[in-house]
Amino acid sequence: MSSPLPSSSSSTLLQFNPLPTTISPSFWHALTSLKLNHLRLSEDAIPVMGSYTVGRVVKDRRGGEKGRIVELGGSLSLLEEGLGGGAEAPAEGISVGAHFPTSSASSSSRLSVTVRGMLRNYNTAPQFTSADKNEIFSDLAQEILNDLLTSPDPLDAVTRFTVLAFADLKKYKYYHWAALPALIAQPNWQTSSPGWKSLQEEWTGKGEEEGEVSPRRMQSLAEAFKEHWQRYRGESEAGFCLVKVGSEACQVGMVRDFQTFFAGVPNEERVVLFIDPSATPSVPGWPLRNFLALLSVRFQVRQIRVICWRDELDDNAVGERSIIGNVFLPAEEGQSGSRVVKGDGSLPIAATQSDSARPVAIGWERNTQGKLAPKVADLGPLMDPRRLADQAV
Amino acid sequence: MNAIQTHFWAVRDYLAPVLRESKFKEHGRITPEEFVAAGDFLSYKFPTWSWSAGEPSKTREFLPKDKQYLISRGVPCLRRVSQIESAALGGKKGKGRAGGGVAGDEKMLSFAEGQDGVEGTGGEEDWLATHLDDQQQLEEVGEIADIPDNDPPAGAASLTPGEEDALASQVAGTSLSTAAGEDGDGDDAEVGDIPDMDDEDDDEDGLGGMGAGVVEHDDPATLAPPPSTAAANASTESASSSNNLLSVRTYDCLITYDKYYQTPRMWLIGYDESGSPLKPSEIFEDISSDYAQKTVTIEPFPHKSGLSTASVHPCKHASVMKKVIERMDQGVIEEQKRLRAGGGSSGGTPDEGVAGGAAVADKKKKKKW
């Protein structure tokens, strides 16, 4: 940490754990009635909301004492309450159910982050098939980059997603494909050795390099972050914050205040925190990817300490599963790839071959086989009255 | 048949008076107020549970508008019941359960079903069965755990018709033929990828075709999906391998108040590993055949129109609760404390699977006692 740009030998490539989607039957049910009653044949994109929670781990109890730890990464769940509840409801009367942030999200005290996206529901399978997905994706990536650069609320763009769907209402089959575009950094972010460490260990353990260590610091961070999360719950803001680490107490700040909040704080001591849906040790979740992009394009961050927050806030053992690590953008070795050009400079974001203003992104959801293809939810057995009648009692 | 019965139940439910006086100690039944109080306590103690309002048109007037039912999302179910049953305890039918699987939960909520005999020895055991099994299976774990989910369930012989269906579709899936009929895609055939030439759907391309044209170049910074251990460090590697062995389904557990039976009622909505909703036949893979389609059936969920899902029929619930109360009166409190401890850890850090959730649900009832 003393040298902001360690040599590549002491660092590893920072990887991100993709965020899969989980879509409940009731979401499709809500979409069905929305389509029948309001959308009808419209294929316009409609705003949807989703949320993700911290990843979890469960112990496989069949292993007894030595039970294996099974990771249960968080997933992006689309909630029917969010259908049409976005900021820019396209038409009157489209909202279904209550507005998301005030209803179900607030009744649960589980740590979750609300995210916004768009859903395009195609009328026919061929339309779904022939939709120019690459263009939709690339446009969204461009929009994300623009918002990261200029939007007053850039965190909204960090987690923006899109879902393409085709609802076969007669058969109660819902084809869908989600994409969470993440801008590709150029060069890629690196984790400095020794890599990710447990936050608790780092802060309340020996504390070699931290010098003064107080167990209260952990508590202080948890409290400050909890306050931050509760204030902004229902917004993407809740999932990300800045942390000023003192020897005893921690302060958290809003990401948009980066310059003022970290004024006078040396680069090496700047810490950011995000709610991490990944449960894989040493691999942070997908939202960090655009978050780092935001930090790098908007605040010229080249090195930062990151806390991947993985604990529920009500736990007594706060910080047990959260991890902390130092990430940096290595100095570019030659011209390894084209970067997005903006004004007279370039951003540390990979650009497409053809157009140096367009960012490269990645993030179509893969199916179970790891292939790029839509998923299908077959709800016939759960929703089709005819087939329900066939279920034996 | 089912439809008629369902309608009958709906009418009966409508006609049934709302219970006003607490009958918990006498009959194991509870009033809506008690349900709300218990739910408040449950969600306070275990934030994985939260109240939900449901569909406005389906609001039950005897419950507060924003507290119609309880939901706990994403409760893991690590194994199919068939994987466990092969290793089950010999004499006790259906006692071998997925480590914290939904099945255990079934049993816990419905063990009185024709099992009064068992109950004499097994009343409390039922509550703890998942733990017991876990320990007994310790030795076998290596062997069992390695069975990937794609294998046809070992317990196929004892499958109910619904499960046979699922089995058939699984087999169909593994041989890359999706002609398994209406319930076509087995869990592992995994809808997504095998060209979904289902039924009369003429979309020959299926899903693969639907995704045509989308190409993403290899990205070293994206964590590879579990099967390939491309990750840079050892911890990721071990994580991947453990994922290989288990197909972790998740369940949304919902608890409603059943007006006719005056008890809480458990509902389950399942998802496969990729987050797609499970079909009933697949849900029954997680429920012991003792209960699948008997105690556990697919019913319309009362707070969403047009949605049906698996539910534990509540007819025996009250008598079970009553027995529990009696047992507790007989000084089984120690046992309860242990369970409480178990439930506690599951609620705080939801690491105990569905059974953990069920333990919580049970705890909820106990709290009233």
Side-chain angles (χ1 to χ4, degrees):
Chain A
M1 210 176 59
S2 46
S3 83
L5 298 177
S7 69
S8 58
S9 61
S10 69
S11 64
T12 47
L13 179 69
L14 175 61
Q15 286 193 309
F16 304 89
N17 203 357
L19 185 63
T21 56
T22 300
I23 303 181
S24 71
S26 44
F27 176 87
W28 295 121
H29 185 254
L31 179 69
T32 304
S33 60
L34 186 70
K35 171 154 181 65
L36 292 177
N37 299 321
H38 298 288
L39 298 179
R40 295 165 199 268
L41 289 178
S42 158
E43 287 187 353
D44 294 344
I46 50 171
V48 283
M49 284 200 205
S51 72
Y52 61 86
T53 58
V54 290
R56 294 179 291 167
V57 290
V58 290
K59 201 162 165 198
D60 182 0
R61 286 186 298 167
R62 281 182 78 198
E65 291 301 307
K66 302 173 289 190
R68 283 171 307 167
I69 300 298
V70 179
E71 300 154 14
L72 277 176
S75 61
L76 174 67
S77 24
L78 298 189
L79 300 176
E80 68 273 20
E81 291 93 333
L83 248 191
E88 48 221 316
E92 32 105 35
I94 262 188
S95 115
V96 170
H99 192 255
F100 176 65
T102 51
S103 59
S104 58
S106 51
S107 64
S108 164
S109 52
R110 282 190 74 188
L111 210 49
S112 66
V113 184
T114 303
V115 296
R116 283 162 220 274
M118 297 303 254
L119 182 142
R120 279 182 191 77
N121 186 43
Y122 294 96
N123 285 317
T124 65
Q127 277 168 304
F128 182 101
T129 308
S130 62
D132 192 341
K133 303 181 182 68
N134 288 323
E135 190 185 325
I136 291 170
F137 188 81
S138 153
D139 286 351
L140 183 57
Q142 181 74 60
E143 180 190 310
I144 287 172
L145 178 61
N146 293 346
D147 280 0
L148 292 185
L149 284 165
T150 57
S151 163
D153 186 14
L155 286 174
D156 198 48
V158 165
T159 50
R160 196 168 294 163
F161 64 95
T162 192
V163 180
L164 308 181
F166 160 60
D168 188 346
L169 298 185
K170 281 185 189 141
K171 280 186 255 163
Y172 301 89
K173 283 196 176 188
Y174 299 85
Y175 300 82
H176 59 282
W177 202 1
L180 291 94
L183 306 179
I184 291 185
Q186 179 68 36
N188 280 309
W189 289 88
Q190 302 278 321
T191 319
S192 13
S193 68
W196 298 94
K197 286 168 75 178
S198 152
L199 185 58
Q200 204 174 41
E201 243 168 65
E202 176 96 358
W203 278 15
T204 59
K206 300 271 159 55
E208 314 90 344
E209 54 176 278
E210 294 292 322
E212 291 285 299
V213 172
S214 158
R216 264 181 293 169
R217 186 161 68 174
M218 193 61 157
Q219 207 53 44
S220 160
L221 173 65
E223 279 160 20
F225 175 55
K226 186 173 186 175
E227 199 179 304
H228 171 89
W229 178 75
Q230 281 171 342
R231 185 180 311 154
Y232 299 108
R233 71 193 302 178
E235 299 169 39
S236 41
E237 190 76 46
F240 307 87
C241 68
L242 312 175
V243 183
K244 213 184 278 179
V245 182
S247 61
E248 291 266 317
C250 294
Q251 277 177 279
V252 303
M254 292 177 72
V255 175
R256 70 177 75 139
D257 300 333
F258 191 90
Q259 308 289 13
T260 47
F261 184 81
F262 280 141
V265 179
N267 275 346
E268 298 78 46
E269 287 169 27
R270 297 176 174 186
V271 180
V272 293
L273 180 152
F274 81 108
I275 293 181
D276 189 358
S278 166
T280 309
S282 303
V283 184
W286 203 247
L288 177 62
R289 200 159 187 178
N290 276 344
F291 186 38
L292 288 177
L294 166 67
L295 296 173
S296 65
V297 301
R298 186 127 163 187
F299 305 112
Q300 288 73 50
V301 170
R302 294 296 176 269
Q303 176 274 327
I304 195 97
R305 306 206 84 197
V306 178
I307 296 174
C308 306
W309 190 268
R310 296 179 171 188
D311 295 273
E312 291 290 349
L313 282 173
D314 59 304
D315 288 357
N316 293 323
V318 149
E320 204 171 44
R321 298 200 349 250
S322 300
I323 54 175
I324 185 167
N326 187 50
V327 301
F328 67 96
L329 281 174
E332 208 161 4
E333 308 127 11
Q335 279 300 343
S336 49
S338 53
R339 298 166 126 202
V340 173
V341 178
K342 183 198 157 235
D344 47 359
S346 68
L347 301 169
I349 299 291
T352 55
Q353 302 271 336
S354 50
D355 184 353
S356 63
R358 250 176 136 70
V360 184
I362 190 167
W364 282 107
E365 183 178 11
R366 287 168 185 268
N367 66 14
T368 329
Q369 285 83 14
K371 299 209 172 110
L372 288 168
K375 298 202 288 191
V376 59
D378 180 3
L379 298 185
L382 295 177
M383 289 168 76
D384 186 344
R386 187 171 50 86
R387 290 171 69 184
L388 283 174
D390 294 341
Q391 299 281 337
V393 176
Chain B
M1 163 63 180
N2 183 26
I4 296 168
Q5 202 162 4
T6 301
H7 281 116
F8 167 67
W9 282 332
V11 172
R12 191 176 61 174
D13 185 77
Y14 171 75
L15 294 176
V18 174
L19 186 64
R20 290 296 172 205
E21 272 171 65
S22 176
K23 291 276 203 297
F24 188 61
K25 275 197 180 174
E26 301 89 72
H27 306 296
R29 287 177 280 180
I30 59 171
T31 64
E33 290 73 27
E34 286 172 322
F35 177 71
V36 170
D40 282 344
F41 184 75
L42 180 69
S43 52
Y44 162 75
K45 266 309 216 197
F46 306 106
T48 50
W49 287 92
S50 60
W51 282 109
S52 186
E55 223 167 83
S57 62
K58 294 275 180 178
T59 301
R60 313 300 301 266
E61 70 289 350
F62 49 82
L63 290 169
K65 267 208 174 67
D66 56 338
K67 294 184 178 178
Q68 293 285 311
Y69 64 93
L70 290 152
I71 182 164
S72 176
R73 291 180 194 278
V75 183
C77 175
L78 302 186
R79 289 183 182 81
R80 305 297 77 78
V81 71
S82 54
Q83 286 175 279
I84 309 297
E85 268 175 351
S86 57
L89 319 175
K92 297 186 185 177
K93 54 164 184 161
K95 292 279 190 252
R97 293 305 148 90
V102 175
D105 146 31
E106 289 320 314
K107 177 172 52 186
M108 292 163 108
L109 293 178
S110 59
F111 64 83
E113 157 124 84
Q115 289 199 10
D116 289 345
V118 176
E119 224 226 312
T121 58
E124 249 57 49
E125 224 170 63
D126 273 323
W127 297 80
L128 294 169
T130 52
H131 303 254
L132 288 175
D133 289 348
D134 293 337
Q135 271 143 38
Q136 301 214 0
Q137 282 162 4
L138 253 181
E139 312 82 55
E140 298 164 274
V141 117
E143 187 196 343
I144 304 302
D146 284 345
I147 298 175
D149 196 38
N150 311 34
D151 286 359
S158 63
L159 289 184
T160 59
E163 284 172 316
E164 274 164 28
D165 241 359
L167 174 61
S169 58
Q170 278 187 353
V171 173
T174 45
S175 63
L176 289 184
S177 139
T178 48
E182 279 274 294
D183 277 328
D185 337 82
D187 178 34
D188 309 289
E190 205 21 81
V191 284
D193 173 66
I194 292 167
D196 187 36
M197 43 190 99
D198 56 307
D199 308 332
E200 55 279 293
D201 195 340
D202 283 330
D203 179 20
E204 295 245 338
D205 289 327
L207 297 174
M210 283 176 142
V214 174
V215 181
E216 282 189 344
H217 58 79
D218 287 340
D219 173 41
T222 302
L223 181 66
S228 64
T229 46
N233 51 45
S235 52
T236 320
E237 219 158 44
S238 70
S240 312
S241 57
S242 79
N243 279 348
N244 271 343
L245 301 176
L246 294 173
S247 83
V248 180
R249 292 174 170 183
T250 55
Y251 278 84
D252 289 349
C253 302
L254 305 95
I255 304 176
T256 59
Y257 180 74
D258 190 280
K259 186 172 159 229
Y260 179 78
Y261 288 102
Q262 298 158 350
T263 58
R265 178 171 188 170
M266 193 84 180
W267 301 80
L268 298 163
I269 300 176
Y271 303 90
D272 65 19
E273 313 97 294
S274 70
S276 302
L278 296 176
K279 300 180 192 62
S281 54
E282 292 165 342
I283 291 178
F284 287 134
E285 290 169 1
D286 289 323
I287 294 167
S288 160
S289 49
D290 288 353
Y291 301 109
Q293 303 195 347
K294 297 186 185 82
T295 318
V296 182
T297 51
I298 306 297
E299 302 289 337
F301 183 67
H303 295 284
K304 303 258 184 231
S305 54
L307 175 70
S308 296
T309 193
S311 160
V312 183
H313 200 264
C315 56
K316 301 286 186 187
H317 186 97
S319 58
V320 171
M321 283 319 296
K322 187 161 179 290
K323 290 211 179 73
V324 169
I325 296 162
E326 280 164 4
R327 286 183 170 276
M328 289 169 82
D329 281 342
Q330 289 161 13
V332 205
I333 291 162
E334 291 310 301
E335 195 79 350
Q336 293 303 328
K337 274 185 182 157
R338 270 205 301 170
L339 184 71
R340 222 166 236 265
S345 69
S346 89
T349 58
D351 59 354
E352 297 213 23
V354 173
V360 175
D362 294 326
K363 178 175 187 310
K364 176 192 80 152
K365 288 154 215 150
K366 255 168 278 143
K367 170 242 163 193
K368 259 166 284 152
W369 166 78

